[in-house]
Amino acid sequence: MASFFCSMKFLLLLLLVSAIPIAFIIHLETAKPTTHVYEYHSNGWLRECGKWDDLNSRFLVSFFEGGIGQVSLPSDYSPGTVLEEVPLVKDVDLAGNASLGFTIDRPRNRLVLAVSDVIGNRYSAVAAYDLTNWNRLFLTQLSGPGDDKSFADDAVVDAEGNSYITDIKGSKIWKVGANGEFLYVIRSPLFTPKEWYKSIVGVNGIVYHPNGYLLVLHTFSGDLFKIRIEKGDEIKVVNVVGGGSLRFGDGIELLSSTKLVVAGNPTKLVESSDDWKTATIVGKFQGPMHRLTTAATVKDGKVYLNHIIGLGYPRKKHAIVEADFTS
């Protein structure tokens, strides 16, 4: 009887502990958002990246299970309407690989996507798709089973059409030509912090600045790098001050030539007045943290944040949340 009573107390304690986070999540889900939210239904739990395609009035989203979808915004959209995700890309030969960070390459009317095998680590790759007919333009394998561990996570394109893909495991950047030809790898001792645990998740978010260089974020160290590609890939650390660090940031996006959004929990707004030699954290925004912010995009001059986790059954509901850095 005593052992049974102890077992019952243990069960009740377990239920109580498990109920706390569930109750917290329910509270967050039912709380009225402080900023505008686009919600959409999908058949997948995880949507790693979301970008606004202004020319076609739609959000494009990447599937963690592999693929690309669109969430169209109708002209008669009414706030509070739950939108629908429509799959656009589901490559049979990439089944089992995750579609992660991507960029919209407007001058060449294409989407450039980082591809990784999340579980088996067979290879990392970069793929490009035509934004109109969604034909695949190229698929370039970046690593294989015999290589060091790697994990392609984000991608960006420069003015010449070259792609740069970050490797969060190997802390390096692959460079691929405009037609998908592999060029070379950008490496630096600056990408490897002295503390081993800061290398668990390395270089991650990446953007191309209109002044002709890359800005790259190292997730676990919080370092922001400026890479002058026209100067032999010269790498310098941006001196970031004010409001804590950029540690644990994920995707990044330029709001303007002087303002950078670092998606995370919370998301941070960073500003520079000297062409990104130095920078200051000038704002923060905490959205629905239980859904995990992974990417940022700009729509009509406002920042919107993609959240990786969808909730609900059988259809999952995802959220793309406006960030208000003034509150």
Side-chain angles (χ1 to χ4, degrees):
M1 183 66 178
S3 60
F4 173 76
F5 182 64
C6 291
S7 299
M8 287 297 294
K9 285 199 297 183
F10 176 76
L11 180 60
L12 289 172
L13 178 62
L14 182 63
L15 289 173
L16 178 60
V17 171
S18 63
I20 292 174
I22 293 173
F24 182 61
I25 290 173
I26 292 174
H27 168 72
L28 292 174
E29 282 293 297
T30 55
K32 185 178 179 180
T34 58
T35 58
H36 182 250
V37 179
Y38 289 107
E39 294 182 314
Y40 65 94
H41 280 135
S42 132
N43 290 319
W45 291 108
L46 305 175
R47 295 294 177 259
E48 207 274 343
C49 186
K51 297 292 183 181
W52 174 246
D53 177 10
D54 58 342
L55 191 63
N56 298 291
S57 190
R58 62 187 175 182
F59 288 101
L60 297 172
V61 294
S62 60
F63 302 169
F64 204 78
E65 69 271 22
I68 296 290
Q70 73 175 13
V71 181
S72 295
L73 194 62
S75 57
D76 60 349
Y77 168 78
S78 176
T81 302
V82 180
L83 304 168
E84 294 293 326
E85 173 190 275
V86 177
L88 298 171
V89 172
K90 292 286 285 187
D91 289 334
V92 174
D93 59 336
L94 291 179
N97 287 52
S99 297
L100 300 175
F102 66 85
T103 188
I104 296 174
D105 181 13
R106 181 65 65 207
R108 282 156 284 274
N109 192 47
R110 63 182 185 174
L111 179 147
V112 178
L113 170 72
V115 177
S116 283
D117 181 352
V118 176
I119 299 176
N121 195 36
R122 290 174 297 170
Y123 63 84
S124 290
V126 58
Y129 298 90
D130 186 283
L131 282 170
T132 303
N133 57 31
W134 291 100
N135 290 334
R136 193 167 74 193
L137 304 175
F138 65 75
L139 173 66
T140 303
Q141 185 171 322
L142 302 171
S143 68
D147 302 327
D148 294 334
K149 291 292 185 181
S150 64
F151 192 99
D153 190 77
D154 205 356
V156 77
V157 175
D158 67 17
E160 304 301 319
N162 301 304
S163 301
Y164 301 84
I165 304 91
T166 55
D167 173 12
I168 63 173
K169 278 191 176 180
S171 276
K172 60 181 180 292
I173 301 169
W174 293 283
K175 183 174 182 177
V176 172
N179 297 314
E181 65 276 19
F182 178 81
L183 297 179
Y184 59 86
V185 176
I186 301 173
R187 302 177 188 270
S188 172
L190 295 174
F191 294 162
T192 306
K194 293 179 180 179
E195 302 87 346
W196 66 267
Y197 55 88
K198 290 185 179 180
S199 295
I200 296 174
V201 180
V203 292
N204 190 344
I206 184 169
V207 294
Y208 175 74
H209 194 280
N211 288 349
Y213 52 82
L214 304 172
L215 292 173
V216 184
L217 179 72
H218 190 291
T219 291
F220 267 32
S221 73
D223 287 334
L224 182 66
F225 303 103
K226 178 180 179 179
I227 305 178
R228 301 290 297 270
I229 54 180
E230 83 285 3
K231 288 191 174 184
D233 301 322
E234 173 191 87
I235 303 173
K236 292 187 176 180
V237 179
V238 179
N239 183 25
V240 179
V241 298
S245 76
L246 301 181
R247 193 170 294 123
F248 305 125
D250 198 334
I252 61 178
E253 183 81 354
L254 284 169
L255 179 58
S256 69
S257 62
T258 61
K259 293 182 180 180
L260 180 74
V261 180
V262 178
N265 301 276
T267 294
K268 298 177 181 179
L269 181 64
V270 188
E271 188 169 12
S272 175
S273 59
D274 58 6
D275 202 31
W276 297 97
K277 295 182 182 67
T278 64
T280 304
I281 298 173
V282 296
K284 298 180 182 180
F285 175 79
Q286 180 67 71
M289 57 184 176
H290 62 296
R291 287 178 175 264
L292 297 182
T293 306
T294 51
T297 190
V298 177
K299 177 185 179 297
D300 301 328
K302 297 180 180 179
V303 176
Y304 284 85
L305 304 174
N306 178 82
H307 291 76
I308 190 171
I309 298 175
L311 296 174
Y313 186 83
R315 304 214 65 197
K316 292 77 179 173
K317 186 188 291 184
H318 291 264
I320 298 176
V321 180
E322 179 189 350
D324 180 8
F325 295 105
T326 62
S327 59

